[in-house]
Amino acid sequence: MPRYLSMIRIDEKDVPAEGVSPDLQKRMGELLEEITRAGVMLDTAGLTPSAQGTRLTWSGGRLSSTDGPFTETKEVVGGYAVLQAKDKAEALEWTRRFLQVHGEEWTVSAEVREIEGS
């Protein structure tokens, strides 16, 4: 069965000031439990803010390093999920449901891509 990476993208400037509400945590926990019971979820996690990250770039035969936050980047990967689904449509459906768990105060998007060789 193919595996898919769902990269959850956020604009860190638009994250609600109160962060993740207890209600959102509950709804998200219930959905993640359902995805896991369905045998689709292989791994998932949120990521620390980009201010705590480092970007390495190889260009022109030279390696450079930039500490976050990455001001030139509007959206960053805020989390991910590795899904094992029967096809891309199923992976997209689970990702849609994850996005819809968020309230109207959130702006969040996802990029879903098949993991090569899966």
Side-chain angles (χ1 to χ4, degrees), residues 53-110:
T54 301
R55 180 177 293 155
L56 299 175
T57 303
W58 177 258
S59 178
R62 296 183 63 208
L63 186 64
S64 63
S65 172
T66 306
D67 289 331
F70 311 114
T71 56
E72 72 282 0
T73 303
K74 182 173 169 53
E75 289 184 330
V76 298
V77 177
Y80 70 92
V82 178
L83 309 172
Q84 184 168 306
K86 63 183 176 196
D87 54 26
K88 187 174 182 180
E90 183 182 21
L92 289 171
E93 180 57 30
W94 284 112
T95 302
R96 278 187 199 98
R97 290 185 60 193
F98 177 81
L99 294 178
Q100 291 170 336
V101 163
H102 294 75
E104 292 180 9
E105 67 278 12
W106 286 85
T107 299
V108 59
S109 64

Coordinates of all heavy atoms in Angstrom, one line a residue, residues 53-110:
G53 N 14.7 26.7 14.4 CA 15.2 25.8 13.3 C 16.4 26.4 12.7 O 16.8 27.6 12.9
T54 N 17.1 25.6 11.9 CA 18.3 26.1 11.1 C 18.1 25.5 9.7 O 17.7 24.4 9.5 CB 19.6 25.5 11.7 OG1 19.7 26.0 13.0 CG2 20.8 26.0 10.9
R55 N 18.3 26.4 8.7 CA 18.2 26.0 7.3 C 19.6 25.8 6.7 O 20.4 26.8 6.8 CB 17.4 27.0 6.5 CG 17.3 26.6 5.0 CD 16.4 27.7 4.3 NE 15.1 27.6 4.8 CZ 14.2 28.6 4.8 NH1 14.5 29.7 4.3 NH2 13.0 28.4 5.2
L56 N 19.9 24.7 6.1 CA 21.2 24.5 5.4 C 20.9 24.5 4.0 O 20.0 23.9 3.5 CB 21.8 23.1 5.8 CG 22.1 22.9 7.3 CD1 22.6 21.5 7.5 CD2 23.1 23.9 7.8
T57 N 21.8 25.2 3.2 CA 21.7 25.3 1.8 C 23.0 25.0 1.1 O 24.0 25.5 1.5 CB 21.3 26.8 1.4 OG1 20.1 27.1 2.1 CG2 21.1 27.0 -0.1
W58 N 22.9 24.2 0.1 CA 24.1 23.8 -0.7 C 23.8 24.5 -2.1 O 22.9 24.2 -2.8 CB 24.1 22.3 -0.9 CG 25.2 21.9 -1.8 CD1 25.1 21.5 -3.1 CD2 26.6 21.8 -1.5 NE1 26.4 21.2 -3.6 CE2 27.3 21.3 -2.7 CE3 27.4 22.1 -0.4 CZ2 28.7 21.1 -2.7 CZ3 28.7 21.9 -0.4 CH2 29.4 21.4 -1.6
S59 N 24.7 25.4 -2.5 CA 24.6 26.2 -3.7 C 25.9 26.6 -4.2 O 26.8 27.1 -3.4 CB 23.7 27.4 -3.5 OG 23.6 28.2 -4.7
G60 N 26.2 26.4 -5.5 CA 27.5 26.8 -6.1 C 28.7 26.1 -5.4 O 29.7 26.7 -5.4
G61 N 28.5 24.9 -4.9 CA 29.6 24.2 -4.3 C 29.9 24.7 -2.9 O 30.9 24.3 -2.3
R62 N 29.0 25.5 -2.3 CA 29.3 26.0 -0.9 C 28.0 25.7 -0.1 O 26.9 25.8 -0.5 CB 29.5 27.5 -1.0 CG 30.8 27.9 -1.7 CD 31.1 29.3 -1.7 NE 31.3 29.8 -0.4 CZ 31.1 31.0 0.0 NH1 30.6 31.9 -0.8 NH2 31.3 31.3 1.3
L63 N 28.3 25.4 1.2 CA 27.3 25.2 2.2 C 27.1 26.4 3.1 O 28.1 27.0 3.6 CB 27.7 24.0 3.1 CG 26.6 23.5 4.0 CD1 25.4 22.9 3.3 CD2 27.2 22.4 4.9
S64 N 25.8 26.9 3.2 CA 25.6 28.0 4.1 C 24.5 27.5 5.1 O 23.8 26.6 4.9 CB 25.1 29.2 3.3 OG 23.9 28.9 2.7
S65 N 24.5 28.3 6.2 CA 23.6 28.0 7.3 C 22.9 29.2 7.7 O 23.5 30.3 7.9 CB 24.4 27.4 8.5 OG 23.6 27.3 9.6
T66 N 21.5 29.1 7.9 CA 20.7 30.3 8.4 C 19.9 29.9 9.5 O 19.1 28.9 9.4 CB 19.8 30.8 7.2 OG1 20.6 31.1 6.1 CG2 19.1 32.0 7.7
D67 N 20.0 30.5 10.7 CA 19.1 30.3 11.8 C 17.8 30.9 11.6 O 17.7 32.0 11.1 CB 19.8 30.7 13.1 CG 21.0 29.9 13.5 OD1 21.0 28.7 13.1 OD2 21.9 30.4 14.1
G68 N 16.7 30.3 12.1 CA 15.4 30.8 12.0 C 15.2 32.0 13.0 O 16.1 32.2 13.8
P69 N 14.1 32.7 12.9 CA 13.0 32.5 12.0 C 13.4 32.9 10.5 O 14.3 33.7 10.4 CB 11.9 33.4 12.5 CG 12.6 34.5 13.2 CD 13.9 33.9 13.7
F70 N 12.7 32.3 9.6 CA 13.1 32.6 8.2 C 12.1 33.6 7.6 O 11.0 33.3 7.1 CB 13.0 31.3 7.4 CG 13.8 30.2 8.1 CD1 13.1 29.1 8.6 CD2 15.1 30.3 8.2 CE1 13.8 28.1 9.3 CE2 15.8 29.2 8.9 CZ 15.2 28.2 9.4
T71 N 12.5 34.9 7.8 CA 11.6 36.0 7.4 C 11.2 36.0 6.0 O 10.1 36.6 5.7 CB 12.3 37.4 7.8 OG1 13.6 37.4 7.1 CG2 12.5 37.5 9.3
E72 N 12.0 35.5 5.1 CA 11.7 35.5 3.7 C 10.6 34.4 3.3 O 10.1 34.4 2.2 CB 12.9 35.3 2.8 CG 13.5 33.9 2.8 CD 14.4 33.6 4.0 OE1 14.5 34.4 4.9 OE2 14.9 32.4 4.1
T73 N 10.3 33.6 4.3 CA 9.3 32.5 4.0 C 8.0 32.9 4.7 O 7.9 33.1 5.9 CB 9.9 31.2 4.6 OG1 11.1 30.9 4.1 CG2 8.9 30.1 4.4
K74 N 6.9 32.9 3.8 CA 5.6 33.2 4.4 C 5.1 32.0 5.1 O 4.6 32.1 6.2 CB 4.7 33.6 3.2 CG 3.3 34.0 3.7 CD 2.5 34.5 2.6 CE 1.0 34.7 2.9 NZ 0.6 35.4 4.0
E75 N 5.1 30.8 4.5 CA 4.6 29.6 5.1 C 5.7 28.7 5.5 O 6.7 28.6 4.8 CB 3.6 28.9 4.2 CG 2.3 29.5 4.0 CD 1.4 28.7 3.1 OE1 1.9 27.9 2.3 OE2 0.2 28.8 3.3
V76 N 5.5 28.0 6.6 CA 6.5 27.0 7.1 C 5.7 25.7 7.3 O 4.5 25.7 7.6 CB 7.3 27.4 8.3 CG1 8.1 28.7 8.1 CG2 6.3 27.6 9.5
V77 N 6.5 24.6 7.4 CA 5.9 23.3 7.7 C 5.7 23.3 9.2 O 6.7 23.4 10.0 CB 6.7 22.1 7.2 CG1 6.1 20.8 7.7 CG2 6.9 22.1 5.7
G78 N 4.5 23.2 9.7 CA 4.2 23.3 11.1 C 4.0 21.9 11.7 O 4.0 21.7 12.9
G79 N 3.9 20.9 10.9 CA 3.7 19.5 11.3 C 3.6 18.6 10.1 O 3.6 19.0 9.0
Y80 N 3.5 17.3 10.4 CA 3.4 16.3 9.3 C 2.7 15.1 9.7 O 2.5 14.9 10.9 CB 4.8 15.9 8.8 CG 5.5 15.1 9.9 CD1 5.5 13.7 9.8 CD2 6.2 15.7 11.0 CE1 6.1 12.9 10.8 CE2 6.8 14.9 11.9 CZ 6.7 13.5 11.8 OH 7.3 12.7 12.8
A81 N 2.3 14.3 8.8 CA 1.7 13.0 9.0 C 2.2 12.1 7.9 O 2.3 12.5 6.7 CB 0.2 13.0 9.0
V82 N 2.6 10.9 8.3 CA 2.9 9.8 7.3 C 1.7 8.9 7.3 O 1.4 8.3 8.3 CB 4.2 9.1 7.6 CG1 4.4 8.0 6.6 CG2 5.4 10.1 7.7
L83 N 1.0 8.8 6.1 CA -0.2 8.0 6.0 C 0.1 6.8 5.1 O 0.7 7.0 4.1 CB -1.3 8.9 5.4 CG -1.6 10.2 6.1 CD1 -2.6 11.0 5.3 CD2 -2.1 10.0 7.5
Q84 N -0.5 5.7 5.4 CA -0.5 4.6 4.5 C -1.9 4.4 4.0 O -2.8 3.9 4.8 CB 0.0 3.3 5.2 CG 0.1 2.1 4.3 CD 0.9 1.0 4.9 OE1 2.0 1.2 5.4 NE2 0.3 -0.2 5.0
A85 N -2.2 4.7 2.8 CA -3.5 4.7 2.3 C -3.6 3.9 1.0 O -2.6 3.7 0.3 CB -4.0 6.2 2.0
K86 N -4.9 3.5 0.6 CA -5.0 2.7 -0.6 C -4.7 3.5 -1.8 O -4.3 2.9 -2.8 CB -6.4 2.0 -0.6 CG -7.5 3.1 -0.7 CD -8.9 2.4 -0.7 CE -9.9 3.5 -0.8 NZ -11.2 3.0 -0.4
D87 N -4.9 4.8 -1.8 CA -4.6 5.6 -2.9 C -4.5 7.1 -2.5 O -4.8 7.4 -1.3 CB -5.6 5.4 -4.0 CG -7.0 5.7 -3.6 OD1 -7.3 6.4 -2.6 OD2 -7.9 5.1 -4.2
K88 N -4.2 8.0 -3.4 CA -4.0 9.4 -3.1 C -5.4 10.0 -2.6 O -5.4 10.8 -1.7 CB -3.5 10.2 -4.3 CG -3.1 11.6 -4.0 CD -2.5 12.3 -5.1 CE -2.1 13.7 -4.8 NZ -1.4 14.3 -5.9
A89 N -6.5 9.5 -3.2 CA -7.8 10.1 -2.8 C -8.0 9.8 -1.3 O -8.6 10.7 -0.6 CB -8.9 9.4 -3.7
E90 N -7.7 8.7 -0.8 CA -7.9 8.4 0.6 C -7.0 9.3 1.5 O -7.4 9.8 2.5 CB -7.7 6.9 0.9 CG -7.9 6.6 2.4 CD -7.7 5.2 2.8 OE1 -6.9 4.4 2.1 OE2 -8.2 4.7 3.8
A91 N -5.7 9.4 1.0 CA -4.8 10.3 1.8 C -5.3 11.7 1.8 O -5.3 12.4 2.8 CB -3.4 10.2 1.2
L92 N -5.9 12.2 0.7 CA -6.4 13.5 0.6 C -7.6 13.7 1.5 O -7.8 14.7 2.2 CB -6.8 13.9 -0.8 CG -5.6 14.2 -1.7 CD1 -6.0 14.3 -3.2 CD2 -4.8 15.4 -1.3
E93 N -8.5 12.7 1.6 CA -9.7 12.7 2.4 C -9.3 12.8 3.9 O -9.9 13.7 4.6 CB -10.6 11.5 2.2 CG -11.8 11.5 3.0 CD -12.7 12.8 2.8 OE1 -12.7 13.4 1.7 OE2 -13.4 13.2 3.8
W94 N -8.4 12.1 4.4 CA -8.0 12.2 5.8 C -7.3 13.5 6.0 O -7.6 14.1 7.1 CB -7.0 11.0 6.1 CG -7.6 9.7 6.3 CD1 -7.5 8.6 5.5 CD2 -8.5 9.3 7.4 NE1 -8.2 7.6 6.0 CE2 -8.9 8.0 7.1 CE3 -9.0 10.0 8.5 CZ2 -9.7 7.3 8.0 CZ3 -9.9 9.3 9.3 CH2 -10.2 8.0 9.1
T95 N -6.6 14.0 5.1 CA -5.9 15.4 5.3 C -7.0 16.5 5.3 O -6.9 17.4 6.1 CB -4.9 15.6 4.2 OG1 -3.9 14.6 4.2 CG2 -4.2 16.9 4.3
R96 N -8.0 16.4 4.4 CA -9.1 17.3 4.4 C -9.8 17.4 5.8 O -10.0 18.4 6.3 CB -10.2 17.0 3.4 CG -9.9 17.4 2.0 CD -11.1 17.1 1.1 NE -10.6 17.1 -0.3 CZ -10.3 16.1 -1.0 NH1 -10.4 14.9 -0.5 NH2 -9.9 16.2 -2.3
R97 N -10.0 16.2 6.3 CA -10.7 16.1 7.6 C -9.8 16.7 8.7 O -10.3 17.4 9.6 CB -11.0 14.6 8.0 CG -12.2 14.1 7.1 CD -12.6 12.7 7.5 NE -13.1 12.7 8.8 CZ -13.3 11.5 9.5 NH1 -13.0 10.4 8.9 NH2 -13.7 11.6 10.7
F98 N -8.5 16.5 8.6 CA -7.6 17.1 9.6 C -7.7 18.7 9.5 O -7.7 19.3 10.6 CB -6.1 16.7 9.4 CG -5.2 17.3 10.3 CD1 -5.0 16.9 11.6 CD2 -4.4 18.4 9.9 CE1 -4.1 17.5 12.5 CE2 -3.6 19.1 10.7 CZ -3.4 18.6 12.0
L99 N -7.6 19.2 8.3 CA -7.7 20.7 8.2 C -9.0 21.2 8.7 O -9.1 22.2 9.4 CB -7.5 21.1 6.7 CG -6.2 20.8 6.1 CD1 -6.1 21.2 4.6 CD2 -5.0 21.5 6.8
Q100 N -10.1 20.5 8.5 CA -11.4 20.9 8.9 C -11.7 20.9 10.4 O -12.6 21.5 10.9 CB -12.5 20.1 8.1 CG -12.5 20.5 6.7 CD -13.4 19.5 5.9 OE1 -13.7 18.4 6.3 NE2 -13.9 20.0 4.7
V101 N -10.8 20.2 11.1 CA -10.9 20.1 12.6 C -10.6 21.5 13.1 O -11.1 21.9 14.2 CB -9.9 19.1 13.1 CG1 -9.7 19.3 14.6 CG2 -10.5 17.7 12.9
H102 N -9.8 22.3 12.4 CA -9.4 23.6 12.9 C -10.5 24.6 12.8 O -11.3 24.5 11.9 CB -8.2 24.2 12.1 CG -6.9 23.4 12.3 ND1 -6.8 22.1 11.7 CD2 -5.8 23.6 13.0 CE1 -5.6 21.7 12.1 NE2 -5.0 22.5 12.8
G103 N -10.6 25.5 13.7 CA -11.7 26.5 13.7 C -11.4 27.6 12.6 O -10.4 27.6 12.0
E104 N -12.4 28.5 12.5 CA -12.3 29.5 11.5 C -11.2 30.5 11.8 O -10.7 31.2 10.9 CB -13.6 30.3 11.4 CG -14.8 29.5 10.9 CD -16.0 30.3 10.8 OE1 -16.0 31.5 11.0 OE2 -17.1 29.6 10.5
E105 N -10.7 30.6 13.0 CA -9.6 31.5 13.3 C -8.2 31.0 12.8 O -7.3 31.8 12.8 CB -9.5 31.7 14.9 CG -9.1 30.5 15.6 CD -10.2 29.5 16.0 OE1 -11.3 29.6 15.4 OE2 -9.9 28.6 16.8
W106 N -8.2 29.8 12.3 CA -6.9 29.2 11.8 C -6.9 29.3 10.2 O -7.9 29.2 9.6 CB -6.8 27.7 12.1 CG -6.5 27.5 13.5 CD1 -7.4 27.4 14.6 CD2 -5.2 27.3 14.1 NE1 -6.7 27.2 15.8 CE2 -5.4 27.1 15.5 CE3 -3.9 27.3 13.5 CZ2 -4.3 26.9 16.3 CZ3 -2.9 27.0 14.4 CH2 -3.0 26.8 15.8
T107 N -5.7 29.6 9.7 CA -5.4 29.5 8.3 C -4.3 28.4 8.2 O -3.2 28.6 8.7 CB -4.9 30.8 7.7 OG1 -5.9 31.8 7.9 CG2 -4.6 30.6 6.2
V108 N -4.6 27.3 7.7 CA -3.7 26.1 7.6 C -3.9 25.4 6.3 O -5.1 25.4 5.8 CB -4.0 25.2 8.8 CG1 -5.4 24.7 8.9 CG2 -3.0 24.1 8.9
S109 N -2.9 25.0 5.7 CA -3.0 24.3 4.4 C -2.1 23.0 4.5 O -1.3 22.8 5.4 CB -2.5 25.1 3.2 OG -1.1 25.5 3.3
A110 N -2.2 22.2 3.5 CA -1.5 20.9 3.5 C -1.0 20.6 2.1 O -1.7 20.9 1.1 CB -2.3 19.8 4.1

